[in-house]
Amino acid sequence: MEPAPGPQEKYQLITRNLQEVLGEDKLMAILKERELKIYWGTATTGKPHVAYFVPMSKIADFLKAGCEVTILFADLHAYLDNMKAPWELLELRTRYYENVIKAMLESIGVPLEKLKFVQGTDYQLSKEYTLDVYRLSSVMTQHDAKKAGAEVVKQVEHPLLSGLLYPGLQALDEEYLKVDAQFGGVDQRKIFTFAEKYLPSLGYAKRIHLMNPMVPGLTGSKMSSSEEDSKIDLLDSKENVKKKLRKAFCEPGNVENNGVLSFIKHVLFPLKSEFVVLREEKWGGNKTYTAYENLEKDFAEQVVHPGDLKNSVEVSLNKLLDPIREKFNTPELKKLMHMAYPRDKPVEKHTKNCEPEYEVIPSQLDIRVGKVISVEKHPDADSLYVEKIDVGEPEPRTVVSGLVHFVPKEQLQDRLVVLLCNMKPKAMRGVESQGMVLCASSVGEPRQVEPLDPPDGCCAGDRVYVEGYEDGEPDDELKPKKKVFEKLQVNFRVSEDCVAQWKQRNFLTKLGTVSCKSLKGGSIS
């Protein structure tokens, strides 16, 4: 068993390859007394890519140095940053990040049991934290808040107030996670100095700040989730890895803004303590480097060819990605990825007679609570009722429903129902129907049907929405050709608790969940 590293050795492990440390004296003083408590946070926005191996390799260093490490999935920050993550996707993206970050750590041999994982909204919505946000906002200036977030928060022509809150929340996280230090990229330096300035004004200690350099992307600029050509996705196929590395900026002899060399320096060398350049015998054969500086020197002097460097990185990178690809090659995680990152644009069909594929969302549906004022049998159809339903408009709507064989007339009279209100009016056996009563149906025979029940206390006209989609505006009228309702309805289900759901998200009103009486697992139409 290896002896435990001393304070100086721990300091070297913690600070190696960092660009800057704020609070070096305090860091050494803590290491002489006890283990360092440190956290790294990641906003759950775009899909993590291979540059995330840079902080992962530093986390490995922290653990080797005996640090107590917390990883924060900053879901609320993701929303505050110009809504890079829509509110309805926060939970899904956080689950995706947790799975993929853990898979990355496992692929580089980091023991997960030594790490603590925290989700921001687990504590950032508490009374105490919220009060501290208000306290901080009463002492920090707009100028300082804007300046602090300039390198991190998305900059737009008309910035939202949420972007000014972002740096303050990140500062408060240091106190609420009870750490000595925060680790991040050097692009967060202004947020770190903001925290050092303002936390003491709330009576909280100034923390240590450790900063990684920004690793160039494949194009020579910062590697970014939003720039497809600049990064390699963690789930890219081997073919895509090869294709992207071939396009990568790696000019012979140029070591500046070289994303390929930077990846070797900040990920592959710290993990393996060596790097092997793979070459054919006629070009000198394989060469093993045990110091990055020697590799960079040989590349600068053009002893190492860019093609050989790229091929060697490709082999090493695929070894890191293979376990991640394997973990995500399951129906459950594939589904999670597609739900967390839905395609937000229609796929254009370039054939002359085809419409583009049209993506639909639940907020397009105008669903309301209705009160049945009257019920009569349809004069020309034994299976249909004609109802007058109040949905909060000046006049009640006429609705035709095929419920005669399932729901007695007296059970419909004066009850609250859930009504789809923006379907195109349709004549049903001579009577125009101006909506659809949504009902749960059993699976199999004999068929059972139950109208959905709004929560107690609802009023006619109260809006019904799907959890996470409360802010969208419904279409004025659903276009039959686009089949909006039909595409959404295939994912309408009744849960085991008899709650109406779309893709496991509850139907809600302002008073609670929409349900049915007994048809667990049923469909809804």
Side-chain angles (χ1 to χ4, degrees):
M1 186 174 178
E2 293 185 10
Q8 189 61 43
E9 191 178 350
K10 289 178 181 180
Y11 181 89
Q12 294 299 329
L13 275 169
I14 290 168
T15 60
R16 73 169 174 174
N17 286 334
L18 293 180
Q19 182 164 324
E20 188 176 3
V21 177
L22 299 177
E24 291 177 279
D25 293 342
K26 185 175 182 180
L27 172 60
M28 180 57 77
I30 290 173
L31 292 176
K32 288 177 179 178
E33 294 181 5
R34 58 174 173 82
E35 307 298 0
L36 185 74
K37 296 177 182 178
I38 186 169
Y39 99 89
W40 172 74
T42 179
T44 53
T45 53
K47 285 194 282 188
H49 44 75
V50 296
Y52 278 63
F53 276 116
V54 178
M56 296 303 104
S57 67
K58 276 310 300 176
I59 287 169
D61 281 346
F62 298 152
L63 290 175
K64 288 176 188 172
C67 298
E68 297 177 20
V69 182
T70 297
I71 292 180
L72 171 67
F73 298 112
D75 49 352
L76 191 56
H77 290 76
Y79 182 71
L80 292 175
D81 188 0
N82 207 48
M83 294 184 292
K84 282 183 181 177
W87 189 262
E88 64 271 16
L89 296 179
L90 284 185
E91 180 63 32
L92 291 166
R93 291 196 176 174
T94 301
R95 283 169 49 202
Y96 179 83
Y97 262 69
E98 182 170 1
N99 277 281
V100 84
I101 294 294
K102 286 181 176 179
M104 291 180 76
L105 290 165
E106 287 172 333
S107 81
I108 63 174
V110 173
L112 299 184
E113 63 272 12
K114 292 188 176 182
L115 294 165
K116 181 180 179 183
F117 296 92
V118 178
Q119 186 171 335
T121 47
D122 286 346
Y123 66 90
Q124 290 164 345
L125 302 178
S126 69
K127 177 181 176 181
E128 295 77 14
Y129 189 95
T130 303
L131 180 58
D132 270 346
V133 172
Y134 288 133
R135 289 176 63 209
L136 187 59
S137 68
S138 72
V139 295
M140 72 184 189
T141 66
Q142 179 188 9
H143 171 270
D144 284 356
K146 186 176 180 180
K147 179 182 175 183
E151 300 295 324
V152 177
V153 179
K154 186 177 181 181
Q155 300 300 298
V156 294
E157 186 177 355
H158 301 291
L160 300 173
L161 180 60
S162 59
L164 297 178
L165 295 175
Y166 188 110
L169 268 66
Q170 188 167 335
L172 287 174
D173 289 339
E174 297 179 347
E175 173 65 24
Y176 278 78
L177 292 172
K178 302 302 178 187
V179 295
D180 306 306
Q182 183 180 173
F183 164 61
V186 73
D187 60 336
Q188 303 208 34
R189 190 183 194 281
K190 291 175 181 176
I191 290 181
F192 292 164
T193 55
F194 173 92
E196 292 188 7
K197 176 179 180 179
Y198 281 107
L199 278 188
S201 69
L202 300 185
Y204 298 142
K206 185 189 296 187
R207 265 61 179 194
I208 300 159
H209 294 102
L210 311 173
M211 285 165 272
N212 254 348
M214 299 311 296
V215 176
L218 301 180
T219 57
S221 58
K222 176 185 172 182
M223 198 175 290
S224 168
S225 296
S226 59
E227 295 181 29
E228 188 63 30
D229 288 339
S230 80
K231 52 95 178 181
I232 294 173
D233 191 271
L234 294 167
L235 300 179
D236 271 346
S237 65
K238 291 185 177 182
E239 293 75 18
N240 277 342
V241 171
K242 181 183 289 290
K243 183 167 66 175
K244 289 180 179 181
L245 279 171
R246 279 179 179 171
K247 293 181 180 179
F249 176 78
C250 192
E251 188 178 57
N254 187 350
V255 299
E256 299 297 323
N257 293 320
N258 187 322
V260 180
L261 274 175
S262 291
F263 190 78
I264 296 170
K265 178 180 181 180
H266 292 285
V267 177
L268 300 178
F269 253 106
L271 292 177
K272 301 293 184 182
S273 300
E274 66 175 29
F275 182 73
V276 180
V277 175
L278 305 173
R279 297 185 294 200
E280 295 182 26
E281 287 299 326
K282 63 181 178 181
W283 303 117
N286 297 349
K287 183 170 182 179
T288 300
Y289 290 88
T290 55
Y292 170 77
E293 293 73 18
N294 294 337
L295 171 62
E296 186 178 277
K297 179 173 178 291
D298 278 0
F299 186 83
E301 295 174 358
Q302 299 189 36
V303 174
V304 174
H305 189 272
D308 294 329
L309 193 70
K310 289 180 180 182
N311 290 338
S312 306
V313 169
E314 179 189 339
V315 171
S316 297
L317 180 55
N318 277 319
K319 286 180 181 177
L320 294 177
L321 295 181
D322 279 342
I324 303 172
R325 294 182 185 122
E326 184 178 352
K327 179 173 181 176
F328 274 77
N329 192 28
T330 64
E332 180 185 1
L333 289 181
K334 285 180 180 178
K335 180 181 178 182
L336 173 61
M337 181 181 69
H338 291 305
M339 289 176 68
Y341 297 94
R343 299 174 69 174
D344 56 3
K345 294 180 181 178
V347 179
E348 297 291 340
K349 305 285 187 181
H350 296 291
T351 54
K352 185 176 180 181
N353 298 319
C354 287
E355 292 286 327
E357 185 177 314
Y358 184 78
E359 185 182 14
V360 297
I361 56 174
S363 55
Q364 290 177 254
L365 303 180
D366 182 4
I367 306 176
R368 300 182 222 167
V369 174
K371 182 174 182 179
V372 180
I373 297 172
S374 67
V375 190
E376 301 293 340
K377 284 277 194 78
H378 193 295
D380 297 316
D382 292 339
S383 63
L384 301 178
Y385 286 132
V386 179
E387 301 126 357
K388 294 289 185 180
I389 301 180
D390 177 10
V391 289
E393 296 171 337
E395 298 294 329
R397 293 196 180 204
T398 299
V399 178
V400 179
S401 303
L403 296 174
V404 170
H405 299 312
F406 304 101
V407 184
K409 177 180 173 180
E410 58 269 21
Q411 289 186 16
L412 280 176
Q413 182 67 47
D414 297 322
R415 75 171 284 165
L416 294 179
V417 293
V418 175
L419 193 74
L420 178 63
C421 295
N422 60 340
M423 294 191 78
K424 185 176 181 179
K426 180 181 180 181
M428 298 181 69
R429 301 293 291 270
V431 177
E432 185 181 79
S433 182
Q434 300 168 327
M436 176 194 291
V437 176
L438 294 181
C439 299
S441 302
S442 62
V443 178
E445 298 296 333
R447 188 176 179 224
Q448 295 175 276
V449 177
E450 296 175 358
L452 294 182
D453 293 315
D456 291 340
C458 284
C459 299
D462 283 356
R463 187 174 171 223
V464 177
Y465 54 89
V466 172
E467 184 179 4
Y469 290 86
E470 52 266 44
D471 295 327
E473 286 294 322
D475 294 353
D476 291 334
E477 184 179 277
L478 300 177
K479 305 301 181 187
K481 285 187 177 180
K482 292 185 176 179
K483 299 188 180 299
V484 174
F485 177 75
E486 291 81 354
K487 290 177 180 178
L488 292 166
Q489 187 271 331
V490 296
N491 291 302
F492 287 0
R493 290 288 182 274
V494 179
S495 74
E496 290 304 303
D497 298 323
C498 289
V499 174
Q501 296 183 329
W502 174 79
K503 291 188 176 180
Q504 299 181 322
R505 293 166 177 259
N506 294 341
F507 283 44
L508 299 169
T509 73
K510 61 186 178 182
L511 296 179
T513 55
V514 173
S515 60
C516 69
K517 285 187 171 56
S518 63
L519 300 182
K520 299 178 182 179
S523 60
I524 298 171
S525 58

